[in-house]
Amino acid sequence: MKYTFALIGIWLLSFSGLAQELISPNQDLKMKFSLDENGTPVYQLYYKNEEVIKPSKLGLELKDDDLSLMNSFKIVDTNTSTYDNTWEPVWGEQAEIRNHYNELAVTLNQPEKDRKIIIRFRMFNEGLGFRYEFPEQKNLVYFVIKEEHTQFAMTGDHTAFWIPGDYDSQEYDYTTSKLSEISSKFDGALSHNESQEQFSKTGVQTSLMMKTEDGLFINLHEAALKEYSLMNLNLNEKNFVFESWLTPDVLGNKGFLQAPNTSPWRTIMVSDDATDILASNMTLNLNEPNVIEDTSFIKPMKYVGVWWEMITGKSAWNYTDDLPSVKVGETDFTKAKPNGRHAANTEHVKEYIDFASEHGFDGVLVEGWNQGWEDWYGHSKDFVFDFVTPYPDFDVEEIHDYAASKNVKMIMHHETSGAIRNYERHMDSAYAFMNKYDYPAVKSGYVGNIIPRGEHHYGQWAINHFLYAVKKAADYKVMVNAHEAVRPTGLRRTYPNLIANESARGTEFQAFGGNKPNHVTILPFTRLIGGPMDYTPGIFEMDISKLNPDNNSHVNSTIANQLALYVTMYSPLQMAADLIENYKRFPDAFQFIKDVAIDWEESKYLEAEPGQYITVARKAKGTNNWFVGNVNGTTPRTTKIKLDFLEKGKKYTATIYADAEDAHYKTNPQAYKITTKTVTRRTKLKLDSAPGGGFAISIIEKK
Ligand code: NOJ
Ligand code: CA
């Protein structure tokens, strides 16, 4: 379905310096491309005839290359085409996705070096994607990127929702500020516990969400990041020009490429309605189609786990406190003194299996099951884990049999401690072990500095590893949920066994001091643009000192807000993260977590304002049931929604889980009220959300 037409006459004219134009299928967006007087590529973007990106330069600086791929270009060819197709994701926010864009591919030549690149632009209704392509040729074979110089020139001092530029972590709270305030607020934004390397005090991460004074929403990100380093953005505060800043390797190089090859796509989404940004499939559409032939092993999962108790400090990952150094597989743990706090023991795991089975959960995650946690900070960190040797109190065989008898799947945990080569060395045996004991999914983790030392989580080397792990997992029919890996850029279209990532500040930080109450009204506009997040919602006890007297963290969220997250934070992998005992205290609220779907036919983004509120309705795949979620920032708010997305002539039972009148994320987070009523597509609802609150609704068809 690809139509190529060479408009030779028109394009020839533009070779002589006139700008080329590319317009979105709905005509809202227009891009102009030209070469400036130095032969440097320049683009400019308009939305409804208003400039949103001022003339911005494109190019790459190469190492040991006097000319680089930055100027002295001539246009040798241009090609336009239109693409319109619909595809079906293995899982997702909707059953069908339309991929509709107009394309302009400009071939540029540097006569001096006799070498060429292509800049390919794709214009969707909601935004522009473009990338550099390096075709096979004699004079450009191997090259090293010193820096990419892609500019995004903003038209004014927009409001931005940003986190500090960092090569190793995205686990920050968002700061909302004017662009001109980034440097002055930068140190305050560095809330992070671990010391991470910042490249600049005006450096921020993508996906970057902005709002202009005229109410336009702009989002900058990238798509299909592979075999390349991750792009951060560095702001020039004088003129509001963002420029790409790639993550370096240990030597300071930013990418090793061999032609033929391409850069990832750089993306700019624009709309005057924030819900368009949430509804966009542009990032996915810029990725290649699924390459996994047999996808029968890929299934969305709702799970519980032996996890929150370690995160809160109530119990421990390690079996003993006594071993200063262990050799995995060789240490005789039967002689070690147990610390009595090791949660991953057979009896306790069985309680979780029973609970999962009783309440219809698909899986149980267990962390701290394998040897090595004692040596986390050991000098021999390169060999900490082998991913196949359990502690003496974790009986893999027995747990496997018990889970199978209860129709529950176990979820594997591979904490690599950042020792990537160690993980790669053990990967085949680790995945084979999972196959043997019937673990369909692995949560992997990359806490701490990458080993080899000096490499970064977001450098090309680690990025190659993250994808290698996903591809290898596919060979073993394993699904991957990687924590602390590079933030997603839509690769799940190509590799749908990548079912989730963390790559942002998740619920765990609610036990490390707390998240901002409006955090979850920003994440869908930023981190989730690239793919689903294993946010691990469902916390009902907000006072963490009740779990661990030494931890006085507070979960900044109401129970109704926690329920809404299952709808607003899309993921095919959803955890009910709290302890069993806390769910037993609130069985009526827990019912929503049991009922909510994890795979969807259709999604409707009803209203949204980054930092303030998001309301989403989704229809469960293969049913007529809908689930609605609203998360609210710090200002109390009333939402009016029309249920006009329901089917004509049908009646439904709506169960509404809302904040009680006096609910508040800080002072009264457990105050909720549940009401039930019959609804149709003509029903209108008026619902109040508390500060840090929200509501969740299940709408079940009456048969
Ligand atoms: C950080 C992860 O985000 C968390 O979920 C996990 O429990 C710990 N690392 C330990 O691996
Ligand atoms: Ca983490």
Side-chain angles (χ1 to χ4, degrees), residues 191-462:
S191 52
H192 212 282
N193 301 347
E194 286 174 67
S195 78
Q196 306 286 356
E197 198 177 325
Q198 274 74 44
F199 58 90
S200 151
K201 293 217 174 198
T202 49
V204 297
Q205 307 200 34
T206 74
S207 144
L208 177 67
M209 186 70 194
M210 285 173 281
K211 187 178 183 182
T212 71
E213 261 174 17
D214 302 339
L216 272 194
F217 297 93
I218 305 173
N219 185 287
L220 305 179
H221 193 36
E222 62 181 311
L225 167 61
K226 47 185 186 228
E227 293 167 37
Y228 204 89
S229 293
L230 172 127
M231 177 182 72
N232 284 305
L233 297 172
N234 199 16
L235 179 72
N236 180 335
E237 279 187 318
K238 294 203 188 82
N239 56 12
F240 307 127
V241 176
F242 279 109
E243 194 166 298
S244 51
W245 184 285
L246 301 182
T247 306
D249 71 1
V250 65
L251 300 172
N253 297 312
K254 302 218 161 172
F256 288 77
L257 270 74
Q258 179 184 359
N261 213 330
T262 71
S263 75
W265 295 92
R266 278 63 186 95
T267 62
I268 307 166
M269 283 191 247
V270 190
S271 181
D272 47 20
D273 181 346
T275 64
D276 288 341
I277 309 281
L278 299 178
S280 170
N281 288 305
M282 194 176 117
T283 313
L284 273 183
N285 280 330
L286 287 168
N287 277 268
E288 299 299 319
N290 171 26
V291 294
I292 298 175
E293 260 166 48
D294 173 14
T295 56
S296 59
F297 71 96
I298 304 171
K299 293 194 187 85
M301 290 182 92
K302 212 188 290 178
Y303 72 104
V304 290
V306 179
W307 178 72
W308 187 237
E309 55 191 285
M310 285 90 92
I311 290 289
T312 53
K314 180 185 179 350
S315 46
W317 282 276
N318 45 315
Y319 175 78
T320 174
D321 295 334
D322 283 351
L323 291 173
S325 168
V326 291
K327 191 110 176 129
V328 168
E330 286 173 21
T331 306
D332 185 358
F333 273 90
T334 57
K335 292 200 182 102
K337 187 167 144 249
N339 58 20
R341 301 171 61 236
H342 182 233
N345 64 75
T346 307
E347 282 321 298
H348 191 47
V349 171
K350 281 184 173 175
E351 287 166 24
Y352 270 86
I353 295 172
D354 287 339
F355 185 74
S357 162
E358 189 185 334
H359 295 285
F361 285 81
D362 306 292
V364 174
L365 165 78
V366 181
E367 296 197 6
W369 68 277
N370 61 326
Q371 294 184 18
W373 290 83
E374 290 77 11
D375 196 29
W376 185 274
Y377 294 107
H379 60 86
S380 62
K381 193 168 161 185
D382 199 14
F383 344 96
V384 171
F385 297 108
D386 71 2
F387 313 98
V388 295
T389 310
Y391 282 126
D393 57 346
F394 183 89
D395 190 327
V396 185
E397 202 97 37
E398 192 179 331
I399 286 168
H400 163 263
D401 294 349
Y402 194 73
S405 77
K406 297 268 173 163
N407 203 17
V408 168
K409 297 279 184 200
M410 298 306 296
I411 299 179
M412 177 49 79
H413 184 234
H414 292 165
E415 175 52 66
T416 68
S417 70
I420 285 182
R421 284 295 297 127
N422 177 62
Y423 190 33
E424 289 181 352
R425 274 198 293 275
H426 291 97
M427 205 173 266
D428 279 292
S429 52
Y431 288 152
F433 183 89
M434 287 178 60
N435 286 167
K436 180 170 173 201
Y437 294 106
D438 198 23
Y439 286 71
V442 61
K443 169 179 172 181
S444 54
Y446 298 86
V447 169
N449 293 331
I450 296 291
I451 296 192
R453 293 175 174 81
E455 289 297 338
H456 292 293
H457 284 74
Y458 306 154
Q460 185 181 16
W461 189 81

Side-chain angles (χ1 to χ4, degrees), residues 640-654:
K640 288 184 196 149
I641 50 173
K642 291 190 201 143
L643 302 185
D644 54 4
F645 44 82
L646 299 178
E647 208 173 301
K648 224 179 183 166
K650 284 200 161 42
K651 284 189 175 160
Y652 303 77
T653 306

Side-chain angles (χ1 to χ4, degrees), residues 171 447 483-484 502 504 508-509:
E171 300 187 4
V447 169
H483 280 224
E484 297 88 31
E502 182 193 40
E508 62 181 4
F509 277 84

Side-chain angles (χ1 to χ4, degrees), residues 18 20 78 104 109 130 175 219 245-246 260 268 325 338 340 359 387-388 457 463 473 518 538 577 588 643 656 662 677:
L18 286 183
Q20 330 256 337
T78 60
L104 166 68
N109 181 36
F130 59 86
T175 299
N219 185 287
W245 184 285
L246 301 182
I268 307 166
S325 168
H359 295 285
F387 313 98
V388 295
H457 284 74
I463 284 170
N518 72 347
D588 54 351
L643 302 185
I656 303 168
D662 53 352
K677 54 155 81 169

